[in-house]
Amino acid sequence: MPASASADPLRLRGDAFVQTRSPVGLLVLRGEDRLKPWIDVETVAWVGARHSPEVTGDVQTLTVRLRSSAGEVRLGRFVFASGAIRPLHLDGVRALGRAPFGTTLELFGGAPVAPRLGSRMFDSAFGGRVGQPIGSFAVLGVSYIMQRRDGRIADQEVGPDLAISPSKSVDIASRLAVDLVTRGVSDALFSIGAHSGDVRAEGFLTHRSPSRILPSTSVFTVLGDIPSTTFGGTVRYKIAPRLDLLGTGGGIAMGRDLGGFATARATLALDDDALGTLGVELRRQYVGSARWTGARALLGIPLGASVRLATEIEAVRHDDGRFWPWALLALAYRAPRGWDFVAGIEAVTTRDERRELHALGRVTYTFERSR
Amino acid sequence: MRPAILLFASMSVAACAGVLGLKKKDQGRPFEHKRHALAGVSCVSCHADIDKTGDDGPLHIPTTATCTSCHQKPHDTRACNDCHGTPPAREGAFAARKFLRFSHQGHMAKVTGQCVPCHAAAGQPDSETRRPPMAQCFTCHQHKDQFKVRDCDSCHHDLPSEHIKPSSHIVHEGDFLREHGVRAASSRDLCATCHSQSSCDVCHGATTAVLPWKLAIESPTLSRLHPGNFMARHPDEARAQPALCVTCHSESSCLGCHVDRNVAAKKGVPTPHPPGWVRAVGGLHGQAARLDPVSCASCHGGAGEMLCVGCHKVGAPGGSPHGPTFSSTKDKTKDEPCRLCHTP
């Protein structure tokens, strides 16, 4: 154990990843700077090669964040996620202001990100959210967004979100997005969770209207609304210090079609620090023509201080008889001075039941500068 | 026979107790702080000069030499730290030094040289750590301004690396992925104390290059949205939850990827639709499109929409595509997509 230590506010990381499936080779560069508490800078970009010769790279995150006690401003490429409105990847600006009594006002504007260094003229998005804490147990917000594609209104939504924690053991989350173009609910969620000791139980209800989620400039939005509603529950039970059980089940209603889904999972830590883990999972989905049963097992174990072995096995059988086994074996080595090496083999069955063997590899270098 | 069953059962329970973590690992014995304090040994006589330290420098954990200055005839030849004091206690001290801005020197004058008001655990013989809990700080420091703006940096100068979870709020348990959006909106800057912007972008971004979990194949226990052989089952997963995919991906993502992988429908490739998909009366495609219009848009979006317009424009044989629940505030002769069918 070192006699003294200090933090590392400046981090640079590079990941070189290659896989023979697809195939794709990536060089991901990531940087973070926390030298000054009022500003931080973060970027993640990748360059690579795929089937298409024109694809050479993209920027995933490139932001500068300035903050003070009165508010903060974020500039660049980032995801804006308000409570009720679906997340939006944006090239633009977001500003947040704090008013007395905890009220917050967020405004954003910019152009939705076009993948693969593309650009779309006359695409824009703006909106915002007002948030208000209610006592110390709830936060209520109202969000609004307008998106334009080629100058035309593609999406205009408004909706509330509410997060409540009436006690330490109960939490409730809900949101509702209303499409102002077709005047109906496009997306909604209600979730309630309660925990006591080693048990946590959740109930949830989601509602989505596909025709309202599509951009309103699409011809597929004129078909009328057949929403899908999902409801169910999750129970997690830490049955022993190292053994976790989780069960999820519920139903899906799509028009006259009814279906269901269920998952059961057990995770066993192989040591007190959970450095090694063994897990098994069973899953069943039965909705329309999407009917399949799957099993999955995973194992991760340390082999000494700097080597780690991980393996996953999965078998999925579709009700129409197709069978998709899959397996992955990975070996990771953490070398001194910030280097990590990972190599893996993936045995794949494709959707049309072809068997393939692929290799994956990653080299990571992390640079950390102390104060 | 009965003793054999009893023995087997006892061994099974013992094995399970070890495997399941029911039997606590022996961490050694906590250091006898209380006994020393009752004997009149002051804290600084062992932790020398700790009252003069800032927020970096040595940890002031006593060495064997410190112990033998009083215990001149040690009962063992090993280092005292090997048995007295637990690794978790020392690791706690190390983590505090590494991740917290804290100066003993700055505090000593305010607590008039008394260590116990903060290190109350020193009086508990079985306590594994002497590091005061965060609630202890709040008995003097209100930190209202910092809480208001979620500015934890003034004490925790590297929360992401500290790997601590909030103890009293935002429980990341059960299926936290489902409700994390609402939680993130209501506690946005709290999330930002641990999660960077790229934590959101890796799933919700339009520019992610590969399935995010493939960059961490050595950690199979991480929560994953698209685990295992997702590529084989993704059409079924998408059909089971219409429009869920487009909450992160644009509807054109499917076509972009299928073209990249050379599996897009094109001339010479058989249609993926079943027989009877399009008929003059009673075709299957209408109901399927109403249930999951996103799937249609993923291949037939943009210029491909004219395939629908050809049959369904006003006066054409396909008839009106509007379902009974359709409504819109658009001007049908001027706005997209209405005017595609409603203008002569």
Side-chain angles (χ1 to χ4, degrees), chain A residues 2-4 7 11 17 19 21-22 24 26 30 42 44 46 50-52 58-61 67 69 74 77-79 81 83 86-87 89 94 98 106 113 115-116 129 139 149 152 163 165 171-172 181-183 189 191 200 202 204 208 210 213 215-220 222-226 230 234 240-242 252 254 272 277 283 285 289-290 292 298 308 310 312 314 318 326 332 342 346 349 351 362, chain B residues 18-22 25 57-59 90 94 97-98 101 148-149 153 157-158 161 171 173-175 178-179 182-183 185-186 188-189 192 196-198 201-202 204-210 213-218 220-221 224 227-229 231-233 235-237 239-244 246-247 251 260-261 289-291 293-294 296-297 300 305 308 321-323 325-330 336-337 339:
Chain A
S4 64
R11 278 196 210 96
F17 171 81
Q19 66 172 2
R21 188 183 194 186
S22 298
V24 60
L26 299 176
R30 180 190 309 255
E42 185 187 350
V44 179
W46 60 267
R50 306 176 71 156
H51 274 306
S52 310
D58 218 330
V59 176
Q60 187 176 296
T61 305
R67 60 180 170 140
S69 58
R74 190 184 283 279
R77 175 169 289 190
F78 55 90
V79 165
R86 292 174 299 284
H89 205 191
R94 176 183 79 95
R98 296 183 180 90
E106 285 180 89
V113 171
R116 303 179 189 183
R129 176 178 179 272
V139 179
R149 282 193 182 185
R152 302 183 193 99
S165 299
D171 48 89
I172 298 167
V181 178
T182 55
R183 293 177 182 165
L189 163 80
S191 167
R200 178 176 170 83
E202 295 173 3
F204 59 88
R208 266 187 307 279
I213 287 176
S216 67
T217 50
S218 167
V219 80
F220 298 104
V222 306
L223 302 171
D225 179 37
I226 300 184
T230 306
T234 298
R242 291 188 194 168
I252 301 175
M254 290 188 293
D272 286 344
T277 310
R283 213 176 141 193
Q285 193 170 68
S289 59
W292 56 274
L298 61 89
R308 181 174 179 79
E312 291 178 73
E314 184 183 276
H318 199 280
W326 175 90
V342 183
E346 187 183 17
T349 308
R351 191 162 173 81
R362 195 194 79 220
Chain B
V19 168
L20 301 178
L22 297 171
K25 195 168 78 177
L59 284 174
R90 285 192 283 272
F94 174 69
R97 169 62 82 232
K98 183 172 182 182
R101 293 181 216 277
K148 191 176 159 191
V149 298
D153 284 352
H157 53 61
D158 192 3
S161 300
V171 182
E173 285 189 345
D175 197 349
R178 187 186 305 116
E179 64 178 59
V182 181
R183 296 284 166 196
S186 62
R188 186 184 306 286
D189 25 19
S196 60
Q197 178 61 43
S198 56
D201 301 359
V202 72
H204 294 290
T207 56
T208 302
V210 292
W213 71 264
K214 290 215 162 182
L215 290 170
I217 54 174
E218 74 276 26
T221 49
R224 294 165 169 178
N229 198 9
M231 295 291 274
R233 1 172 257 278
D236 294 298
E237 300 241 25
R239 267 199 297 274
Q241 304 241 24
L244 180 63
V246 284
T247 56
E251 73 282 2
D260 265 3
R261 285 163 175 76
R290 284 200 176 89
L291 278 173
V294 179
C296 305
H300 299 291
E305 293 178 357
C308 314
H322 301 310
T325 56
F326 172 72
S327 70
S328 177
T329 57
K330 292 190 167 190
E336 293 273 13
R339 67 192 175 102

Side-chain angles (χ1 to χ4, degrees), chain A residues 152-203:
Chain A
R152 302 183 193 99
I153 294 176
D155 189 18
Q156 191 178 16
E157 291 187 13
V158 66
D161 62 90
L162 179 64
I164 311 175
S165 299
S167 72
K168 276 190 171 181
S169 56
V170 177
D171 48 89
I172 298 167
S174 60
R175 60 177 160 78
L176 179 79
V178 176
D179 184 6
L180 297 178
V181 178
T182 55
R183 293 177 182 165
V185 175
S186 57
D187 194 13
L189 163 80
F190 177 80
S191 167
I192 180 167
H195 66 270
S196 173
D198 294 324
V199 181
R200 178 176 170 83
E202 295 173 3

